[in-house]
Amino acid sequence: MSVFSEFIRVVAGILLIVAAVINLVSGLGNLVGGGGASYSSSQTEVAFNEPLTPEEMAEMGGSLQEAKQDVMQQGTTSSLIGLVMILSVGTSIAGAVFLFLKKKVVLIGIAGAMVLLAELSGMIWGLGYSPYNIPGLLAACMVVLIILVKRGRLS
């Protein structure tokens, strides 16, 4: 392997570890926040101590029910994104270890795919792009480059 390949391998391993730490914190936040939002939306009628009358519902224009459904859906989506991010942590760390050991290209590829899935799911269904997505996206691109070099498709 050339010096450039070694450099890319080490940098990709470091970026996978950085992305794992960021995804762990973000995933736990999404999981707890999404669960809290889903729970709070299910408790809206408890807050009124009694069911709303049809007149009260008509006065609100049905907006309470729509808001409840919206919060429930956003909470569930946030929890699923958090779960994907937490699942990517283990594969990212394992991928980084195998990058440093120069072994198991398939597991390295799985780690890159999981990081890419976690970053893209957070960007598409979550809060959108943020600078915290950069390490994961760079690591995924470098993993693809490393796999192509190891398979002999890129010299």
Side-chain angles (χ1 to χ4, degrees), residues 26-27 29-39 41 69-85 117-118 120-128:
S26 180
N30 278 336
L31 203 58
V32 170
S38 295
Y39 178 75
S41 71
Q69 289 295 88
D70 189 41
V71 170
M72 179 74 81
Q73 181 182 10
Q74 289 177 355
T76 304
T77 302
S78 180
S79 294
L80 289 175
I81 291 170
L83 185 63
V84 169
M85 287 181 171
L117 177 67
L120 290 178
S121 66
M123 287 170 61
I124 293 170
W125 293 293
L127 298 174

Side-chain angles (χ1 to χ4, degrees), residues 22-95:
I22 291 171
N23 284 345
L24 178 65
V25 173
S26 180
L28 287 174
N30 278 336
L31 203 58
V32 170
S38 295
Y39 178 75
S40 67
S41 71
S42 69
Q43 297 299 312
T44 54
E45 295 185 7
V46 174
F48 289 107
N49 293 328
E50 58 186 53
L52 297 174
T53 64
E55 294 84 25
E56 291 172 330
M57 284 298 275
E59 184 179 309
M60 291 184 184
S63 61
L64 179 65
Q65 195 65 18
E66 292 171 10
K68 180 180 170 181
Q69 289 295 88
D70 189 41
V71 170
M72 179 74 81
Q73 181 182 10
Q74 289 177 355
T76 304
T77 302
S78 180
S79 294
L80 289 175
I81 291 170
L83 185 63
V84 169
M85 287 181 171
I86 289 173
L87 289 175
S88 75
V89 171
T91 57
S92 297
I93 293 173

